[in-house]
Amino acid sequence: MNNLLPHLSARQPSAAEYLRRILLAPVYDVAVKSDLTPMRKLSERLGCEVLLKREDQQPVHSFKIRGAYNKIAGLNADQQAKGVVAASAGNHAQGVALSGQKLGIKATIVMPNNTPDIKIDSVRRLGGNVVIHGNSFDEASAESRRLAETEGYTLAAPFDDPDVIAGQGTIGVELLQQARDMDYVFLPVGGGGLAAGVALYLKSLKPSIKVIGVEAEDSACLLAALEAGERVNLDQVGLFADGVAVKLIGEETFRVCAAFIDEVITVSTDEICAAIKDIFDDTRAVSEPAGALALAGLKKFQARYKLQGKKLTTVLSGANVNFHSLRYVSERTELGEGREGVLAVTIPEQKGSFRRFCELLGGHGITEFNYRFADPAKAHIYVGVRLAEKADMANLLATLGDSGYEVHDLTDNELAKLHVRYMVGGRPSQPLIERLYGFEFPESQGALMRFLNRLGERWNITLFHYRNHGAAYGRVLAGFNVSDQEKAEFEASLNDVGYEWRDETSNPVYDYFLAHRD
């Protein structure tokens, strides 16, 4: 690791020059010194002291205001008169817009089509002129450069600019003041501005601090560059953590990160979702996916190296989350923690087979179950199971395999989790005498087995869909092979079970999507 970057040019400052720029950055004209909040629940769970730098407390709910203001405040009078242009998926855009408003400078922001509405609306409220262009940050960035050339705007780059890097580096100043004895710091990496500025400051003043960069698995442009020894343009990037969806690490940020970051770790979408929940549980803050990226990396790193008794700091880099995405986050949280697994299992198509399968699960609660009659001999089911820890899955797979079941682990299968779970079922391949019922099960251990013990042996189940939503009662949809003559007897059995139920056989959606048709 090279702790002193050579002074190459104004574009590539030395480490000493960066330190000067960081310490003189006028970011507190608009930014606040954000809290370093103890995460007590997570700390107890991990056996380390975990501290969260709360950049969601900034006026635009993101660290980006620091770099944007530092850049724009340093423009000369002619540049200020012509205005600035920036490309951003949202947080840098808000920082540029607020900086322009504060300084009386026209700000034009180019945003890709996938930008959440909350970020677009916020930029407009701050007086920014929004231009929607392209399907990725890189396409938006190209358009911003074109506008800078044709309109005379100054380009306010989101990360690959020494002034922006220095502005973000002020986070490092605060971290060292707030936790001088930290052992590790985990920094999110998109284009690399925050990671470069903070890593340079911390490693220059206290080299013993280990600095870990964290990237999303599907947007790992820094890791790819480090492995190749040069910047690599990724073919595509994932958009879940849109704030770090960058195909090409910045030229200057790569130079600095390569010199000052000790290691890079990547995390999955599920691990990011789990970190969002951890932040909420400890602080009641709702992070955006990119904002929780570094904490997800902290957790993965701690587990990988079995760290104990260490002081671990990280950055909640932003909280501009699209509210409607929280439904998806909630669904993926347990998978990210290793507390839920997803299986595809083949069971005999006969009365009682579902009950016998559930008995084999032992203490593993069922979180989801999808089944539709399709073949007289065997049934393929999609089932989610509760796990105490990730290692439980291997034991469960062995138990099912030893019992003669054909089983596949789908826990890491994105197609299964994103789409197939909602498509299992459909219409049966042959005519059925069937009635459809909706139920509310109490979310308590044994509720499903009680249902199956009372009904599963006597009445053939032809359809079953259940998902645990974390409420007091679970919603269940089930089909049964029940003739009109048996209906009264069957419903008497339902009353005996004691769960709330309703007959959905005449519901038109059943006829549209689930009932057999010749």
Side-chain angles (χ1 to χ4, degrees):
M1 179 178 295
N2 176 15
N3 285 334
L4 287 176
L5 294 173
H7 184 88
L8 300 177
S9 66
R11 173 66 182 167
Q12 296 178 305
S14 65
E17 173 62 17
Y18 264 120
L19 290 176
R20 187 187 72 83
R21 293 193 189 192
I22 290 170
L23 292 171
L24 294 178
V27 299
Y28 300 107
D29 291 351
V30 289
V32 300
K33 182 177 180 179
S34 60
D35 294 338
L36 188 64
T37 301
M39 296 190 69
R40 293 186 172 85
K41 293 179 182 177
L42 185 60
S43 296
E44 182 177 352
R45 204 165 86 216
L46 300 186
C48 291
E49 183 180 2
V50 180
L51 302 171
L52 186 69
K53 184 66 171 162
R54 295 288 304 279
E55 286 299 286
D56 59 305
Q57 296 175 341
Q58 297 300 341
V60 294
H61 308 292
S62 159
F63 75 96
K64 288 285 192 176
I65 185 63
R66 297 175 183 261
Y69 190 83
N70 194 46
K71 172 66 178 180
I72 297 171
L75 299 181
N76 60 42
D78 181 59
Q79 290 171 322
Q80 290 186 1
K82 291 179 179 178
V84 297
V85 65
S88 172
N91 287 338
H92 179 62
Q94 294 175 77
V96 170
L98 180 58
S99 299
Q101 185 184 74
K102 176 79 173 178
L103 297 166
I105 298 170
K106 177 184 177 181
T108 298
I109 295 95
V110 185
M111 309 180 83
N113 291 319
N114 61 293
T115 306
D117 290 342
I118 186 175
K119 297 181 180 181
I120 295 173
D121 294 342
S122 180
V123 169
R124 286 174 173 155
R125 281 196 300 271
L126 292 169
N129 174 38
V130 176
V131 175
I132 304 297
H133 182 90
N135 295 314
S136 67
F137 165 77
D138 299 276
E139 293 178 6
S141 181
E143 176 65 8
S144 70
R145 292 193 297 272
R146 188 191 69 80
L147 289 172
E149 184 176 340
T150 59
E151 303 296 330
Y153 302 144
T154 296
L155 185 65
F159 48 81
D160 201 19
D161 183 296
D163 290 326
V164 173
I165 293 170
Q168 320 301 26
T170 58
I171 295 173
V173 179
E174 294 173 21
L175 277 172
L176 204 53
Q177 292 171 346
Q178 294 167 318
R180 190 179 303 275
D181 58 343
M182 71 182 110
D183 298 300
Y184 291 82
V185 61
F186 295 81
L187 304 173
V189 180
L194 182 153
V198 176
L200 184 147
Y201 185 85
L202 294 179
K203 297 294 284 189
S204 295
L205 295 185
K206 193 172 183 182
S208 62
I209 297 172
K210 297 298 183 184
V211 179
I212 312 300
V214 185
E215 294 187 287
E217 287 177 350
D218 52 11
S219 305
C221 59
L222 174 58
L223 182 61
L226 291 172
E227 290 176 345
E230 60 182 3
R231 295 193 301 155
V232 175
N233 200 338
L234 303 178
D235 292 334
Q236 58 184 14
V237 294
L239 298 179
F240 173 64
D242 60 284
V244 291
V246 179
K247 289 184 177 181
L248 182 67
I249 190 79
E251 180 179 1
E252 177 65 0
T253 54
F254 176 51
R255 184 179 78 94
V256 177
C257 286
F260 292 98
I261 286 182
D262 293 288
E263 188 172 337
V264 175
I265 191 168
T266 64
V267 293
S268 68
T269 293
D270 290 346
E271 288 165 337
I272 294 171
C273 290
I276 292 173
K277 182 177 184 295
D278 288 320
I279 290 171
F280 178 79
D281 286 346
D282 257 312
T283 70
R284 289 303 183 261
V286 181
S287 170
E288 64 185 272
L293 177 69
L295 180 63
L298 179 155
K299 292 169 58 185
K300 191 169 187 175
F301 191 92
Q302 182 275 334
R304 176 179 293 175
Y305 294 104
K306 298 179 172 56
L307 301 180
Q308 290 292 295
K310 300 296 185 181
K311 179 171 285 190
L312 314 178
T313 62
T314 188
V315 181
L316 194 181
S317 59
N320 291 301
V321 63
N322 187 330
F323 181 80
H324 298 294
S325 68
L326 295 178
R327 182 187 334 179
Y328 174 86
V329 170
S330 177
E331 287 180 355
R332 304 295 288 260
T333 294
E334 294 299 298
L335 291 164
E337 287 287 1
R339 295 175 183 166
E340 183 181 12
V342 181
L343 302 173
V345 186
T346 301
I347 65 175
E349 184 56 84
Q350 56 188 235
K351 292 179 181 178
S353 61
F354 181 28
R355 181 182 60 81
R356 289 189 289 275
F357 167 76
C358 290
E359 288 173 344
L360 277 176
L361 296 181
H364 299 286
I366 292 180
T367 59
E368 179 174 359
F369 188 89
N370 290 299
Y371 155 73
R372 182 61 163 131
F373 174 87
D375 184 286
K378 59 186 178 180
H380 301 295
I381 61 175
Y382 181 108
V383 59
V385 292
R386 188 81 66 196
L387 305 173
E389 56 184 0
K390 286 186 177 181
D392 285 354
M393 178 58 84
N395 297 330
L396 181 57
L397 291 171
T399 298
L400 293 173
D402 292 343
S403 300
Y405 288 96
E406 180 185 337
V407 58
H408 299 279
D409 184 1
L410 304 179
T411 306
D412 295 321
N413 188 310
E414 282 298 301
L415 181 64
K417 293 182 291 185
L418 281 175
H419 299 290
V420 174
R421 72 193 314 171
Y422 304 109
M423 300 168 70
V424 173
R427 302 182 188 280
S429 60
Q430 56 187 278
L432 286 177
I433 299 172
E434 182 179 55
R435 299 197 70 83
L436 194 69
Y437 291 85
F439 300 89
E440 290 188 2
F441 281 24
E443 291 291 5
S444 58
Q445 188 171 3
L448 178 60
M449 288 304 300
R450 172 182 169 83
F451 178 84
L452 296 174
N453 284 332
R454 296 294 183 91
L455 298 173
E457 291 285 1
R458 172 73 192 282
W459 310 96
N460 190 41
I461 297 174
T462 55
L463 176 152
F464 200 90
H465 178 259
Y466 160 73
R467 296 190 69 198
N468 183 330
H469 290 281
Y473 286 85
R475 269 60 173 183
V476 176
L477 184 67
F480 295 87
N481 187 200
V482 175
S483 67
D484 291 341
Q485 292 77 19
E486 297 171 309
K487 179 175 181 288
E489 182 184 359
F490 175 76
E491 292 185 351
S493 298
L494 294 184
N495 291 330
D496 184 52
V497 174
Y499 300 157
E500 292 292 326
W501 61 270
R502 61 195 176 279
D503 188 341
E504 297 282 12
T505 309
S506 60
N507 190 314
V509 75
Y510 170 61
D511 185 55
Y512 289 151
F513 296 110
L514 298 173
H516 172 77
R517 286 186 180 175
D518 296 326

